[in-house]
């Protein structure tokens, strides 16, 4: 009888301990989720045929500049919409500024598919990471994917609210280069052509863009030719037709070394990005110790 009593008391004790730790865990998770709601991460979307390296060096530079900015997450989106997650947003960075890199496994897909994939990723950020507000940065076609996302995604509790948008070398009025499209014939290339149906739909649906979002367009001018080697400056600054004048800014970067694919490796772009997104007075430090390969893969 005494043995049974002891066993019963031990059982009650262990159940109580488990219950206490369970309550503590749930409370901790709730507190962390609440803190995460105050984070404003910046989501980076690569361009046509982009890879992890498309924004990788820029992300390393901004990650090393401030202790409040880290390369937090990388989201690879497969053609079937499945997400492959690396890393997570950390609630200790209460000031926000955490970077999320979006990668399309099919980097030649149509703009409509990229829009759906971006919606999947943003919904994950909202539901699983508890993020309420985001900034958005796109290079080349990545800027078009973001614009399409803004036009086709409801502003509701299912998605983070977009606050600021930077487009780097984005051809808002298309690419007018017949020689370029002799080799590039995939769905993405078709949508990038000046006068494509995809671009016409973006212009048609511009009234759907959230009225409060702040926008910065950055164009490159190679040797004062009016182009970055691929995209005309006028096509980049065509963005002014999509956003209210009070919410829109544009900046031109000129030089002999300016190229379309290398524009996001310019420290001038770093400075513009840091000023626009985080109100920092200067550009990013050139040294970096950040590495996306340090975070594990998690299939979602």
């Amino acid at each position: 009888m005494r043995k049974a009593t002891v066993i019963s008391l031990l059982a009650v004790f262990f159940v109580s301990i488990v219950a206490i730790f369970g309550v503590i865990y749930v409370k901790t998770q709730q507190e962390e989720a609440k803190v995460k709601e105050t984070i404003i991460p910046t989501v980076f979307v690569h361009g046509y045929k982009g890879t992890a390296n498309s924004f990788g060096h820029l992300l390393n530079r901004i990650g090393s500049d401030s202790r409040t900015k880290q390369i937090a997450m990388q989201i690879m989106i497969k053609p079937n919409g499945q997400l492959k997650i690396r890393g997570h947003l950390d609630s200790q960075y209460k000031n926000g500024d955490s970077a999320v890199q979006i990668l399309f496994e099919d980097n030649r897909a149509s703009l409509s598919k990229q829009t759906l994939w971006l919606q999947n990723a943003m919904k994950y950020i909202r539901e699983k990471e508890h993020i309420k507000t985001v900034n958005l940065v796109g290079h080349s076609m990545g800027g078009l994917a973001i614009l399409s996302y803004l036009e086709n995604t409801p502003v509701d509790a299912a998605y983070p609210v977009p606050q600021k948008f930077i487009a780097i070398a984005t051809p808002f009025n298309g690419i007018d280069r017949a020689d370029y499209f002799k080799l590039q014939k995939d769905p993405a290339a078709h949508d990038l052509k000046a006068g494509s149906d995809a671009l016409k739909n973006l212009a048609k649906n511009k009234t759907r863009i959230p009225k409060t979002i702040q926008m910065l367009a950055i164009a490159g001018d190679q040797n004062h030719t009016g182009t970055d080697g691929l995209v005309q400056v006028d096509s980049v600054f065509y963005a002014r037709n999509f956003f209210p004048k009070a919410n829109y800014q544009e900046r031109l970067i000129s030089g002999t070394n300016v190229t379309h694919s290398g524009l996001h490796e310019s420290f001038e772009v770093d400075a513009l990005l840091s000023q626009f997104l985080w109100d920092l007075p200067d550009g990013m430090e050139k040294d970096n110790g950040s590495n996306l390969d340090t975070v594990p893969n998690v299939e979602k």
Side-chain angles (χ1 to χ4, degrees):
M1 186 72 177
R2 183 177 300 173
K3 183 178 181 181
T5 301
V6 171
I7 292 174
S8 297
L9 290 173
L10 286 173
V12 171
F13 173 77
F14 283 116
V15 169
S16 299
I17 292 296
V18 171
I20 290 172
F21 278 103
V23 170
I24 293 174
Y25 174 79
V26 171
K27 186 177 181 180
T28 301
Q29 291 296 102
Q30 291 174 341
E31 290 176 350
E32 183 175 359
K34 188 175 182 180
V35 172
K36 278 188 174 183
E37 290 180 353
T38 67
I39 296 175
I40 305 177
T42 301
V43 178
F44 292 80
V45 184
H46 64 72
Y48 177 50
K49 297 190 292 185
T51 66
N53 293 327
S54 297
F55 269 125
H57 299 301
L58 183 149
L59 290 172
N60 282 337
R61 291 195 302 274
I62 66 172
S64 68
D65 178 69
S66 171
R67 297 186 186 278
T68 62
K69 292 187 291 299
Q70 300 291 323
I71 300 174
M73 292 182 67
Q74 187 184 77
I75 303 178
M76 169 70 79
I77 309 174
K78 299 182 179 182
N80 64 2
Q82 184 182 20
L83 306 182
K84 183 178 180 181
I85 311 297
R86 306 176 69 188
H88 64 93
L89 294 171
D90 196 327
S91 61
Q92 70 173 299
Y93 298 110
K94 299 180 178 62
N95 292 331
D97 305 341
S98 297
V100 179
Q101 185 180 32
I102 302 294
L103 299 172
F104 301 129
E105 187 172 288
D106 180 1
N107 56 12
R108 298 169 181 253
S110 66
L111 190 59
S112 59
K113 285 187 176 180
Q114 291 185 26
T115 304
L116 292 175
W117 294 337
L118 190 52
Q119 287 176 330
N120 288 349
M122 299 298 280
K123 184 173 288 187
Y124 175 88
I125 291 172
R126 179 66 188 96
E127 292 179 354
K128 303 300 182 181
E129 295 292 329
H130 310 288
I131 297 300
K132 284 189 172 183
T133 308
V134 293
N135 294 323
L136 301 157
V137 178
H139 173 255
S140 193
M141 193 173 186
L144 295 179
I146 291 173
L147 183 65
S148 181
Y149 168 82
L150 293 174
E151 291 184 352
N152 292 283
T153 306
V155 181
D156 59 29
Y159 302 93
V161 175
Q163 176 179 259
K164 295 180 180 180
F165 170 30
I166 296 179
I168 304 169
T170 296
F172 289 100
N173 201 29
I175 298 173
D176 192 9
R177 282 269 305 272
D179 60 322
Y180 180 74
F181 294 107
K182 286 182 180 180
L183 296 176
Q184 317 300 335
K185 298 182 181 295
D186 44 66
H190 179 76
D191 289 347
L192 286 169
K193 290 181 181 178
S196 70
D197 289 339
L199 294 177
K200 289 178 181 177
N201 285 332
L202 288 178
K204 179 182 177 181
N205 298 322
K206 64 182 181 181
T207 56
R208 299 178 183 176
I209 299 171
K211 305 301 181 187
T212 58
I213 191 167
Q214 301 290 314
M215 198 276 175
L216 170 63
I218 302 174
D221 185 9
Q222 188 179 85
N223 291 323
H224 305 289
T225 58
T227 175
D228 60 17
L230 178 63
V231 177
Q232 296 284 333
V233 171
D234 289 344
S235 185
V236 178
F237 290 162
Y238 191 76
R240 64 171 68 105
N241 295 292
F242 291 88
F243 298 88
K245 187 176 181 179
N247 295 359
Y248 174 78
Q249 298 180 42
E250 57 188 37
R251 297 291 186 273
L252 182 66
I253 295 178
S254 302
T256 57
N257 297 323
V258 170
T259 64
H260 177 72
S261 59
L263 195 58
H264 50 61
E265 296 310 315
S266 163
F267 287 106
E268 290 181 75
V269 170
D270 291 353
L272 291 173
L273 185 147
S274 62
Q275 291 164 7
F276 185 77
L277 295 181
W278 306 303
D279 299 319
L280 298 178
D282 300 309
M284 303 300 170
E285 293 177 1
K286 296 184 180 181
D287 294 331
N288 71 79
S290 303
N291 190 336
L292 280 172
D293 292 334
T294 60
V295 290
N297 291 333
V298 181
E299 295 286 348
K300 296 293 179 182

